Amino acid sequence: MDQTTRRGLLIILSSPSGAGKTTLARKLMGWDETLRFSVSATTRPPRRGEEDGVHYHFVSEARFRNMVAEGEMLEHAHVFGHFYGSPLGPVKEAIEAGRDVLFDVDWQGAQQIARSALQDHVLSVFVLPPSIAELRRRLVERGQDAPEVISKRMQKSWDEISHWDGYDYVLVNGDLEISFARLKTIVEAERLRLAQQPGLTDFVRGLQSEFQESEE
Ligand code: 5GP
């Protein structure tokens, strides 16, 4: 192991719908190609432009229940009348390879991952909207959902926001570029934590040998 060896992070992004989490996740993926996105399984139907296996694995309820029963989910939750869950296999694979995984999950998922066997790898970030009016505007402008769905999502937003203080970091997303810059800073700092760099012990031993030799 050299000093650059890192343990993988599980980077969890949560927010109410429309606070900018998905855009931030996309930007983070574009910034660092080594990041792996955890493609969730869901029983909800695809929206326009969503691709199976890219945005979500779109599965039947029977398949979803089977994945949970077989222990194939790191976490799962019921959101807006549909099931969502993070498949465990790709996460384990990435962590074993020292790679970071990015999750776009709700507070229930964040809590379950933070209590899982992989809890030491967790970095959780909550994204708040600058105002409720702005949150509603973003949901309406997105134009992807019917008015009654938007109203349901606004109610769910309150539920989501009420869990804001269970996260390691909180971003108020008024300006996307500023929030993105802050998110990168958070990720870069967390990667440098002592606990994230197990190779440092050997590296410092090497420094010690070099030091002793140079003093002889
Ligand atoms: P959407 O249907 O808008 O894509 O997602 C609805 C909500 O479900 C979002 O808050 C999103 O973060 C959350 N979500 C997506 N995938 C998962 C998952 O695998 N687990 C959990 N717990 N929540 C998820």
Side-chain angles (χ1 to χ4, degrees), residues 63-187:
R63 170 84 186 109
F64 191 95
R65 287 185 192 282
N66 189 256
M67 289 176 82
V68 173
E70 295 294 321
E72 292 173 21
M73 293 295 198
L74 172 58
E75 60 77 32
H76 65 279
H78 198 242
V79 189
F80 304 131
H82 298 288
F83 291 102
Y84 294 80
S86 310
L88 180 58
V91 176
K92 268 190 168 166
E93 225 172 76
I95 287 294
E96 277 160 20
R99 291 179 65 172
D100 303 332
V101 187
L102 180 63
F103 294 82
D104 173 341
V105 298
D106 80 335
W107 68 270
Q108 303 174 80
Q111 276 194 1
Q112 288 173 48
I113 299 170
R115 289 177 188 150
S116 75
L118 297 173
Q119 58 182 260
D120 291 346
H121 297 258
V122 168
L123 159 60
S124 62
V125 182
F126 194 85
V127 184
L128 281 171
S131 69
I132 294 304
E134 177 63 13
L135 187 69
R136 189 186 303 277
R137 194 187 63 74
R138 289 180 194 170
L139 277 185
V140 171
E141 268 191 8
R142 201 156 77 171
Q144 282 173 325
D145 296 308
E148 62 272 20
V149 175
I150 288 173
S151 156
K152 242 171 68 187
R153 281 179 180 263
M154 285 302 293
Q155 280 168 30
K156 172 78 169 75
S157 291
W158 272 117
D159 180 38
E160 192 71 28
I161 288 173
S162 70
H163 294 91
W164 68 279
D165 58 351
Y167 287 73
D168 298 323
Y169 294 88
V170 178
L171 294 172
V172 178
N173 185 23
D175 179 297
L176 189 64
E177 289 311 320
I178 292 174
S179 299
F180 179 49
R182 289 178 177 161
L183 184 57
K184 286 189 292 190
T185 301
I186 292 168
V187 170

